Amino acid sequence: MKRDPSAEQELPVLPYLALLGLFTSVYGGLLWVGAKKKVLPRRVAAYDIVLLGLATHRLTRIVTRDKVAEPIRSPFTEYEGPAGAGDVHERPRGRGLRRAVGTLLTCQYCAGPWIASALFAGLVVRPRETRLFASMLAATALSDFTHQGYAYARGASA
């Protein structure tokens, strides 16, 4: 497929603004409702921050890089090839909102706050279920780091 270089140069400012507005409205609304219902915690335990941090890392990698999530990203991205360890290289496609969503779905740093916000909202609404889900994701992240360390050690010793 022939690439349109002008589309790659385009910065979809208004669609980015729309996504920012959506994020702010939804998360701000959840905080407002939580404060009104008096369900927000006074503080978040360090354990939960570390747990949700690892879970955010892993879920963000699944959403933005994993081969198995490619069908979710495909309307907004163009496949460029494998990236090793079950990851793929993709780039945003199209213009406007489609491109902005493609950027969100291929940038782990962009998707991270969205995913962390969802996990923290889950911690407020359904803490037991969220901690169990986050624990599974955190264990997977630690397993991924172990696999990468093992592969590096094998390569260094070979």
Side-chain angles (χ1 to χ4, degrees):
M1 185 163 136
K2 191 174 179 181
R3 290 186 185 181
D4 179 2
S6 64
E8 290 180 22
Q9 299 293 326
E10 177 188 338
L11 184 64
V13 176
L14 290 177
Y16 283 164
L17 187 59
L19 288 175
L20 182 59
L22 175 66
F23 176 86
T24 304
S25 299
V26 170
Y27 200 64
L30 289 171
L31 289 174
W32 184 78
V33 168
K36 282 289 203 190
K37 291 187 173 191
K38 299 183 189 303
V39 296
L40 295 179
R42 290 200 179 275
R43 65 184 220 38
V44 179
Y47 165 82
D48 284 327
I49 294 170
V50 171
L51 175 64
L52 295 187
L54 285 167
T56 297
H57 166 77
R58 186 61 198 119
L59 191 52
T60 299
R61 295 291 299 181
I62 290 169
V63 169
T64 64
R65 299 279 192 259
D66 274 13
K67 196 180 316 186
V68 297
E70 196 275 334
I72 296 166
R73 296 185 302 269
S74 67
F76 309 99
T77 64
E78 187 172 319
Y79 179 79
E80 292 190 320
D87 288 354
V88 296
H89 285 295
E90 293 172 312
R91 65 178 184 81
R93 75 165 73 196
R95 296 181 182 271
L97 188 58
R98 183 180 194 189
R99 183 168 198 78
V101 172
T103 300
L104 182 62
L105 292 176
T106 58
C107 172
Q108 57 196 346
Y109 301 103
C110 303
W114 291 71
I115 290 171
S117 297
L119 289 171
F120 274 94
L123 185 64
V124 170
V125 177
R126 303 294 296 196
R128 288 179 56 207
E129 293 87 346
T130 301
R131 282 189 185 103
L132 182 62
F133 179 64
S135 295
M136 179 275 300
L137 290 169
T140 306
L142 293 172
S143 173
D144 290 348
F145 291 133
T146 304
H147 288 307
Q148 293 295 326
Y150 180 77
Y152 176 78
R154 282 193 56 139
S157 66

